[in-house]
Amino acid sequence: MDGPDRVSGQCLCGAVRFQLVAPLQTLTHCHCRSCRLSRGVAFVTWTSVPPDRFGFVTGGAEVVWYCSSPGVRWGSCGRCSSPMFYVADRPGHPDAPKLDHIYVSVGSLTSQLAEKPVAHVSYEEHVDWIEGAEALPKFRGKTATEF
């Protein structure tokens, strides 16, 4: 899976490396409770591809899958616990994820994307403390040097 239309990603420790073949589905910020709790964050930014445009470069056997509900699996690295994937494998989920897609958290991608998120989904479940975050001061690294 080499080429200019490839998008790479990995877990924190590098045991799991994968590639997606562009084009990617739209990027969205998901604010649902499951996404927040699965990562300990305010929201998760997702994209997806059909299975034939996804492949493990290494470490596919390192991925552990957690079934949060019937037909929904979350994939993480078994070594470092980095969560990366979401798969719906049967109909009936109230949010209607695509059954023929592998959802990948954009934060696990190592390639730079030209695409930008186009929407907030499950916004009715958002945490109030995230509102106004764009207006906060921005610093370089964890220093006092502002951008």
Side-chain angles (χ1 to χ4, degrees):
M1 287 183 65
D2 293 326
D5 58 343
R6 303 303 192 249
V7 176
S8 298
Q10 71 175 65
C11 64
L12 177 63
C13 73
V16 177
R17 295 178 189 272
F18 58 90
Q19 287 188 334
L20 313 174
V21 178
L24 308 179
Q25 291 294 301
T26 57
L27 280 60
T28 58
H29 299 310
C30 183
H31 294 265
C32 81
R33 185 174 192 269
S34 294
C35 283
R36 290 195 329 268
L37 292 177
S38 73
R39 287 160 173 75
V41 296
F43 59 86
V44 178
T45 306
W46 293 103
T47 189
S48 69
V49 293
D52 64 340
R53 295 204 332 254
F54 173 89
F56 288 105
V57 175
T58 187
E62 294 291 334
V63 177
V64 294
W65 294 93
Y66 168 69
C67 293
S68 61
S69 58
V72 173
R73 297 180 294 135
W74 301 78
S76 300
C77 175
R79 291 189 190 178
C80 68
S81 301
S82 295
M84 297 167 280
F85 313 115
Y86 173 95
V87 176
D89 28 41
R90 78 168 108 146
H93 191 281
D95 293 330
K98 293 178 181 173
L99 298 179
D100 59 345
H101 277 238
I102 297 172
Y103 289 83
V104 177
S105 64
V106 175
S108 65
L109 299 178
T110 54
S111 298
Q112 291 294 320
L113 299 179
E115 299 90 343
K116 303 288 185 221
V118 299
H120 292 267
V121 298
S122 297
Y123 197 73
E124 71 281 4
E125 298 182 50
H126 81 282
V127 290
D128 291 340
W129 52 263
I130 194 68
E131 292 180 22
E134 297 83 16
L136 295 173
K138 294 162 183 66
F139 299 95
R140 183 170 307 286
K142 295 170 184 72
T143 69
T145 305
E146 277 198 66
F147 272 93

